[in-house]
Amino acid sequence: MTRTADDPIRVGVLGARGRMGDEVCRAVDCAPDMVLVAKVDDGDKIGEVVDAHAEVVVDFTHPDVVMANLEFCLANGVRCVVGTSGFDTARIDQVRQWLGDEPELGVLIAPNFALGAVLTMRFAQLAARYYPTVEIIELHHNRKADAPSGTAAHTARMIAAARKDAGLGEIPDATTSAADGARGASMDDVRVHSVRLSGLVAHQEVLFGGDGETLTIRHDSLDRCSFMPGVLLGVRKMVQRNGLVVGLENLLDD
Amino acid sequence: MTRTADDPIRVGVLGARGRMGDEVCRAVDCAPDMVLVAKVDDGDKIGEVVDAHAEVVVDFTHPDVVMANLEFCLANGVRCVVGTSGFDTARIDQVRQWLGDEPELGVLIAPNFALGAVLTMRFAQLAARYYPTVEIIELHHNRKADAPSGTAAHTARMIAAARKDAGLGEIPDATTSAADGARGASMDDVRVHSVRLSGLVAHQEVLFGGDGETLTIRHDSLDRCSFMPGVLLGVRKMVQRNGLVVGLENLLDD
Amino acid sequence: MTRTADDPIRVGVLGARGRMGDEVCRAVDCAPDMVLVAKVDDGDKIGEVVDAHAEVVVDFTHPDVVMANLEFCLANGVRCVVGTSGFDTARIDQVRQWLGDEPELGVLIAPNFALGAVLTMRFAQLAARYYPTVEIIELHHNRKADAPSGTAAHTARMIAAARKDAGLGEIPDATTSAADGARGASMDDVRVHSVRLSGLVAHQEVLFGGDGETLTIRHDSLDRCSFMPGVLLGVRKMVQRNGLVVGLENLLDD
Amino acid sequence: MTRTADDPIRVGVLGARGRMGDEVCRAVDCAPDMVLVAKVDDGDKIGEVVDAHAEVVVDFTHPDVVMANLEFCLANGVRCVVGTSGFDTARIDQVRQWLGDEPELGVLIAPNFALGAVLTMRFAQLAARYYPTVEIIELHHNRKADAPSGTAAHTARMIAAARKDAGLGEIPDATTSAADGARGASMDDVRVHSVRLSGLVAHQEVLFGGDGETLTIRHDSLDRCSFMPGVLLGVRKMVQRNGLVVGLENLLDD
């Protein structure tokens, strides 16, 4: 079945009754260029997405079932946009193997679909080479169990890699006497500070400092719906792109 | 000699050729209600302040000499505004003893003369009772040797005391898994995060979080001259107030 | 009926099925020191609050009915906490007249119950005398119809009054060439800037500038529930306070 | 004379005794890969830069003399990095004509050399297509005569162009009732707000808003020295690049 640019994209949602899946269903319903053809959750048959001729599925399920979902979809010619967590190198290699050497289908696996979070990472990566010093502050509600956030840790690593590529050495720091914890956690030599307060949702600041100036990139995510534009962008891109893409940032600017 | 409200205040400066003292001299020179009558530094005789009939001296000297300066001034009827660091309980008690039970002179000892820093502490103290959660971020240039800053540590302690007075318990925090240092330093149970970047000067944020809202008080100090309004306020208040005052915040709103 | 400190406060809610009233009902239900005894809305009889022996009613209704509600409650010995808008000087005078010269009941009328908004105003008022320059930025979602927000206008007026009391003149501003609107709206000579963006909720910053330093007070309100602690505080205070109080800020620090 | 990568770049400075020129001289002196060979100002002969075999001149002079400087340098085989203001289309066309169709020399003309300002513009341009709403706040000391700043106006225009390229329409805004000036100045349909406070230096925020999230890019310039890394980058790039470049942002990431 060849698609034309005017055809709405046929989308199925796996994990459709979960918090995120439910938002995805509503977002797809509202998108003028998409049609929601299948909603699948625990107890439903995944085969519904094939029967409904879904072109792309969006998977917000669980680490325990996502691999089986992916294997089934790829075997049945359905493209995948995946927000489920837990993808390590082994899992990513497995998906790449399923896709084969000359992939005719596309899979996107992304840990964070908020455009602002993705743009923050991208900009931080671009700015890193120009500044001798950089630190990250991430701020979340005080019900969060882990610190720092996965996104902050990922951002720190991207910055560290960009500094290394640019030949920058260690970040200069004159601290000789510090109370335990005052200078934050060191992630690949980038300091990350985690603030926890009631009233906050999910926020991140990357602060760069140079001679006589600072540059700050801040992302405030106030609602789960902030992930939806990123999910819809993923669907639009992957309907016509083959192979594996890890990270939404790789689909920007195409 | 009785002063009238119209007489300019006669001010002497100790440490007049130091970085801060030099600024104080210029600030006093520019104040329409003051006249600079003595500038004393290493090698000069402190007696000059008496010969010049100074009513108030401002001391930005060194911990090694400040106590001798104070003893001399009080013995000679000169009031004192002190920005020199190093005042522990023993020194403060000594000054109080010199002043006597019915003090006829006034002394102000203050660790921070920036009005914004003082107001930040005051407001933080007032807000503390209304919010279940609070953290402090202080940001300085990366040549600073210690962390957290003295002002941040002092602010944390004031907040902790205000919470205790209001009957608030420990700050609720769901963190169960944290990278070392991510959650900052605990000063009297208040988390303090110290950011160090080139391009910064001296900045502090106090963040309060409650149900669905946050309140942030931020002070940015970009220039040493930010201390001068606080010094001049100290001079104006202490020319007519007797006894020992520790902390500029106790002179606001009089 | 004399109350003892251990008795839960008996609360009635007028406008109980509205957006705010519904939140109030839930907040009262959860407060260990209160009991919700009456929920009244369109079509119900207001007399229910008397039958249920409510000590305090919370009114989030409509400018068209709030005056009749107040008259009834005061005539029947019920104290009032009012969040309904539309109180001009004439209405406030009327309420004061109903209370009489030696009031035996209390009424609180407040335009904003978020503690952070109230503290922001209070702190802005306290800081105003110490800074030569001040401006306000308020930021709201882009569905808001009016600019600036009522809270920002109110804050500007409080700052202007505090400056006048302190003998400060006009705010110095060297602008000689400005694009139309660039310098914001002048409210009593204080500049107010209104930002409208999707993704925002309700935010306000008051920025003070002096020699070499700035002081910023920022309130972020992310959820309607942020008004509830202020409403409950109003109830707790007004159960034992007689007379008219306008503005929650007058109940802080008691 | 062919240069090798190991040769230090021979730099001349025009306007060497001005505020900015003086900073440039010191920055070049400190750069390990450059040597300062000529300092020229009013009363000196511009021919000195040729006698000293300067490869690149940096021009921070005055709109009245910069065109003569450029003509002389290009006629004598010297490359140019220009921070002097006042370049309109006619002047830019003139420079392009001097360079000719197959330029063998390079000229960089840039209105702002602070890396953070340049990166802010670049990131704003990249983010613009992803967000329905955007506004700019620029904040400067209250001795500034014009509003908005040239950089803010330039940023607004870049954002407007990027939105147009991406097919985005007008920015949605529900404001129906606004105090005069509250909603800022409209620059190509992008709202710009100009804050003026003592204590500030030069700051700019670009705020993007989308579904449930905001992205903020902020640049704080606290010292004139913040322009130097950009000037040195310009020198390093233009020593080996031919043709006209307008805007430092076009030299990043090469």
Side-chain angles (χ1 to χ4, degrees):
Chain A
M1 189 173 72
T2 316
R3 76 184 329 279
T4 75
D6 284 350
D7 291 333
I9 306 171
R10 303 177 65 83
V11 180
V13 175
L14 306 183
R17 291 193 297 272
R19 262 182 341 131
M20 286 297 297
D22 185 56
E23 285 274 349
V24 173
C25 289
R26 271 185 286 158
V28 169
D29 259 341
C30 293
D33 59 340
M34 301 184 191
V35 55
L36 179 61
V37 296
K39 299 168 67 168
V40 174
D41 211 312
D42 263 6
D44 303 325
K45 294 218 169 89
I46 189 172
E48 287 181 33
V49 301
V50 179
D51 299 344
H53 300 294
E55 296 168 281
V56 184
V57 300
V58 178
D59 185 305
F60 279 95
T61 56
H62 192 274
D64 292 349
V65 299
V66 65
M67 292 303 283
N69 291 348
L70 275 169
E71 186 171 19
F72 176 86
C73 288
L74 293 179
N76 285 278
V78 184
R79 295 156 181 280
C80 303
V81 169
V82 185
T84 306
S85 61
F87 277 83
D88 53 17
T89 315
R91 288 189 159 203
I92 285 171
D93 286 346
Q94 173 66 74
V95 175
R96 197 172 274 121
Q97 193 183 315
W98 285 334
L99 281 164
D101 287 346
E102 293 184 23
E104 296 183 341
L105 291 172
V107 174
L108 167 67
I109 298 171
N112 195 324
F113 278 96
L115 283 173
V118 172
L119 289 170
T120 296
M121 288 183 220
R122 164 71 71 98
F123 295 165
Q125 199 177 24
L126 290 172
R129 80 182 71 178
Y130 298 108
Y131 287 94
T133 57
V134 56
E135 302 202 359
I136 297 173
I137 304 172
E138 56 93 346
L139 311 95
H140 284 81
H141 55 84
N142 68 337
R143 301 177 308 283
K144 188 171 173 61
D146 55 321
S149 68
T151 301
H154 187 56
T155 307
R157 270 180 236 115
M158 288 173 73
I159 290 171
R163 287 179 62 91
K164 201 176 166 188
D165 284 354
L168 294 176
E170 223 169 294
I171 297 175
D173 182 358
T175 311
T176 52
S177 143
D180 202 35
R183 293 286 292 113
S186 178
M187 317 295 286
D188 284 13
D189 188 43
V190 176
R191 299 279 167 173
V192 180
H193 308 268
S194 299
V195 175
R196 297 291 174 264
L197 290 175
S198 56
L200 291 175
V201 186
H203 319 258
Q204 175 167 309
E205 274 189 2
V206 185
L207 300 98
F208 291 98
D211 290 346
E213 63 161 340
T214 58
L215 176 69
T216 306
I217 306 164
R218 178 175 174 121
H219 179 238
D220 293 272
S221 182
L222 303 187
D223 195 300
R224 195 179 309 137
C225 71
S226 68
F227 295 106
M228 292 311 120
V231 170
L232 298 186
L233 179 74
V235 169
R236 286 185 191 109
K237 295 290 186 184
M238 297 316 295
V239 81
Q240 51 192 356
R241 180 164 170 161
N242 296 334
L244 176 64
V245 178
V246 179
L248 188 66
E249 60 271 27
N250 299 300
L251 294 182
L252 300 180
D253 303 335
D254 282 17
Chain B
M1 189 172 72
T2 317
R3 76 184 330 278
T4 73
D6 284 350
D7 292 333
I9 306 171
R10 303 177 64 83
V11 181
V13 176
L14 306 184
R17 290 194 296 274
R19 263 181 340 131
M20 285 297 295
D22 185 56
E23 286 273 349
V24 172
C25 289
R26 271 185 286 159
V28 169
D29 260 341
C30 294
D33 59 340
M34 299 185 192
V35 55
L36 179 62
V37 297
K39 299 168 65 169
V40 175
D41 210 313
D42 263 6
D44 303 325
K45 294 218 170 87
I46 189 172
E48 288 181 31
V49 300
V50 178
D51 300 343
H53 302 294
E55 296 167 280
V56 184
V57 300
V58 179
D59 185 305
F60 279 96
T61 57
H62 191 273
D64 291 350
V65 299
V66 66
M67 291 304 283
N69 292 348
L70 275 169
E71 186 171 19
F72 176 87
C73 288
L74 294 178
N76 286 278
V78 185
R79 295 157 181 280
C80 302
V81 169
V82 185
T84 306
S85 61
F87 277 83
D88 53 17
T89 314
R91 288 188 159 204
I92 285 171
D93 286 346
Q94 173 65 76
V95 175
R96 197 171 276 122
Q97 193 183 313
W98 286 333
L99 281 164
D101 286 345
E102 294 184 24
E104 297 183 340
L105 292 172
V107 174
L108 168 67
I109 297 172
N112 195 325
F113 278 96
L115 283 173
V118 173
L119 289 170
T120 297
M121 288 183 221
R122 164 71 71 97
F123 295 165
Q125 200 176 25
L126 291 172
R129 82 183 68 179
Y130 298 108
Y131 287 94
T133 58
V134 55
E135 303 203 0
I136 296 174
I137 304 173
E138 55 92 347
L139 311 96
H140 284 81
H141 55 83
N142 68 336
R143 300 178 308 282
K144 188 170 174 61
D146 55 322
S149 69
T151 301
H154 187 56
T155 308
R157 270 179 236 116
M158 287 172 74
I159 290 170
R163 287 178 61 92
K164 201 176 165 189
D165 284 353
L168 294 176
E170 222 171 293
I171 297 176
D173 183 357
T175 312
T176 52
S177 143
D180 202 35
R183 294 288 290 113
S186 178
M187 317 295 287
D188 284 13
D189 188 41
V190 176
R191 298 279 168 174
V192 181
H193 308 270
S194 299
V195 175
R196 297 291 174 265
L197 289 176
S198 56
L200 290 175
V201 186
H203 318 258
Q204 175 168 310
E205 274 188 3
V206 185
L207 300 99
F208 292 98
D211 290 345
E213 63 161 340
T214 58
L215 176 69
T216 306
I217 306 165
R218 178 175 175 122
H219 180 237
D220 293 271
S221 182
L222 303 187
D223 195 300
R224 194 179 311 137
C225 71
S226 67
F227 295 106
M228 293 310 120
V231 171
L232 298 185
L233 179 74
V235 169
R236 285 185 192 109
K237 295 290 187 185
M238 296 316 295
V239 81
Q240 52 192 358
R241 180 164 170 159
N242 296 334
L244 176 64
V245 178
V246 180
L248 187 66
E249 61 271 26
N250 298 300
L251 294 183
L252 300 179
D253 303 336
D254 282 18
Chain C
M1 189 172 73
T2 315
R3 74 185 330 278
T4 73
D6 284 349
D7 291 333
I9 306 171
R10 302 178 63 83
V11 181
V13 176
L14 306 183
R17 290 193 298 273
R19 262 182 340 132
M20 285 297 296
D22 185 55
E23 286 274 349
V24 173
C25 290
R26 270 185 286 159
V28 170
D29 259 342
C30 295
D33 59 340
M34 300 185 192
V35 56
L36 179 61
V37 296
K39 299 169 66 169
V40 175
D41 210 313
D42 264 6
D44 302 326
K45 293 220 170 87
I46 188 173
E48 289 180 29
V49 300
V50 179
D51 299 344
H53 302 293
E55 295 168 282
V56 185
V57 299
V58 178
D59 184 306
F60 278 97
T61 57
H62 192 272
D64 291 350
V65 301
V66 66
M67 291 304 282
N69 291 348
L70 275 169
E71 187 172 17
F72 176 86
C73 288
L74 293 178
N76 286 278
V78 184
R79 296 156 182 279
C80 302
V81 169
V82 185
T84 306
S85 62
F87 277 82
D88 54 17
T89 314
R91 288 189 159 203
I92 285 171
D93 286 346
Q94 174 65 75
V95 175
R96 197 171 276 121
Q97 192 183 313
W98 284 334
L99 281 163
D101 287 345
E102 294 184 24
E104 297 183 340
L105 291 172
V107 174
L108 167 67
I109 297 172
N112 195 325
F113 278 96
L115 283 173
V118 172
L119 289 170
T120 296
M121 288 184 220
R122 164 71 71 98
F123 295 165
Q125 201 176 24
L126 290 173
R129 83 183 67 177
Y130 298 107
Y131 287 94
T133 58
V134 56
E135 303 203 0
I136 297 173
I137 303 172
E138 55 93 346
L139 311 95
H140 284 82
H141 55 84
N142 69 336
R143 299 177 309 281
K144 187 171 175 60
D146 56 322
S149 69
T151 300
H154 187 55
T155 307
R157 268 179 237 115
M158 288 173 73
I159 290 170
R163 287 178 61 91
K164 202 177 164 187
D165 285 353
L168 295 176
E170 222 170 293
I171 297 175
D173 182 358
T175 311
T176 53
S177 145
D180 203 35
R183 293 288 290 112
S186 178
M187 317 296 285
D188 285 13
D189 188 42
V190 176
R191 299 279 168 174
V192 181
H193 308 269
S194 299
V195 175
R196 296 291 174 266
L197 290 175
S198 55
L200 290 174
V201 185
H203 319 259
Q204 176 168 310
E205 274 188 4
V206 185
L207 299 99
F208 292 97
D211 291 345
E213 63 160 340
T214 58
L215 176 69
T216 305
I217 306 164
R218 178 174 175 122
H219 179 237
D220 293 272
S221 182
L222 303 187
D223 195 300
R224 195 177 310 136
C225 71
S226 68
F227 295 107
M228 293 310 119
V231 170
L232 299 186
L233 179 74
V235 169
R236 285 186 191 110
K237 294 290 186 184
M238 297 315 296
V239 81
Q240 52 192 358
R241 180 165 170 158
N242 296 334
L244 176 62
V245 178
V246 179
L248 188 65
E249 60 272 25
N250 299 299
L251 293 183
L252 300 180
D253 303 336
D254 281 18
Chain D
M1 190 172 71
T2 317
R3 75 185 330 278
T4 73
D6 284 350
D7 292 333
I9 306 171
R10 301 178 64 83
V11 180
V13 175
L14 306 183
R17 291 193 296 272
R19 264 183 337 134
M20 285 296 296
D22 185 56
E23 286 273 350
V24 173
C25 290
R26 270 186 286 160
V28 170
D29 259 342
C30 294
D33 59 341
M34 300 185 192
V35 55
L36 179 62
V37 297
K39 299 168 67 168
V40 175
D41 210 313
D42 263 6
D44 304 325
K45 293 221 170 87
I46 189 173
E48 287 181 31
V49 300
V50 179
D51 299 344
H53 302 294
E55 295 168 281
V56 185
V57 300
V58 178
D59 185 305
F60 278 96
T61 58
H62 192 273
D64 291 350
V65 301
V66 66
M67 291 303 283
N69 290 349
L70 274 170
E71 187 171 18
F72 176 86
C73 288
L74 293 179
N76 286 278
V78 184
R79 295 156 183 280
C80 303
V81 169
V82 185
T84 306
S85 62
F87 276 83
D88 54 17
T89 315
R91 288 189 158 202
I92 285 172
D93 286 346
Q94 175 64 75
V95 175
R96 197 171 275 121
Q97 193 182 316
W98 285 334
L99 282 164
D101 286 346
E102 293 184 23
E104 297 184 340
L105 291 172
V107 174
L108 167 66
I109 298 171
N112 196 324
F113 278 96
L115 283 173
V118 172
L119 288 170
T120 297
M121 288 184 221
R122 163 71 71 95
F123 295 164
Q125 201 176 24
L126 290 173
R129 82 184 66 179
Y130 298 107
Y131 287 94
T133 59
V134 56
E135 303 203 358
I136 296 173
I137 303 172
E138 56 92 347
L139 312 96
H140 284 81
H141 54 83
N142 68 336
R143 300 177 309 282
K144 187 170 174 62
D146 56 321
S149 69
T151 301
H154 187 55
T155 308
R157 270 180 236 115
M158 288 173 72
I159 290 170
R163 287 178 62 91
K164 201 176 164 187
D165 285 353
L168 295 177
E170 221 170 294
I171 298 175
D173 183 358
T175 312
T176 52
S177 144
D180 202 36
R183 291 288 290 114
S186 178
M187 317 295 286
D188 285 13
D189 189 42
V190 175
R191 299 279 167 173
V192 181
H193 308 269
S194 299
V195 175
R196 297 291 173 265
L197 290 176
S198 56
L200 290 175
V201 186
H203 318 259
Q204 176 168 309
E205 274 189 2
V206 185
L207 300 99
F208 291 97
D211 290 345
E213 63 161 341
T214 58
L215 176 69
T216 305
I217 306 164
R218 178 174 175 122
H219 179 238
D220 293 271
S221 181
L222 302 187
D223 195 300
R224 194 179 310 137
C225 71
S226 68
F227 295 107
M228 293 310 120
V231 171
L232 299 185
L233 179 74
V235 169
R236 285 184 191 110
K237 295 290 187 184
M238 297 316 295
V239 81
Q240 51 192 358
R241 179 163 170 161
N242 297 333
L244 177 63
V245 178
V246 179
L248 188 66
E249 60 272 25
N250 299 299
L251 294 183
L252 299 180
D253 303 335
D254 282 18

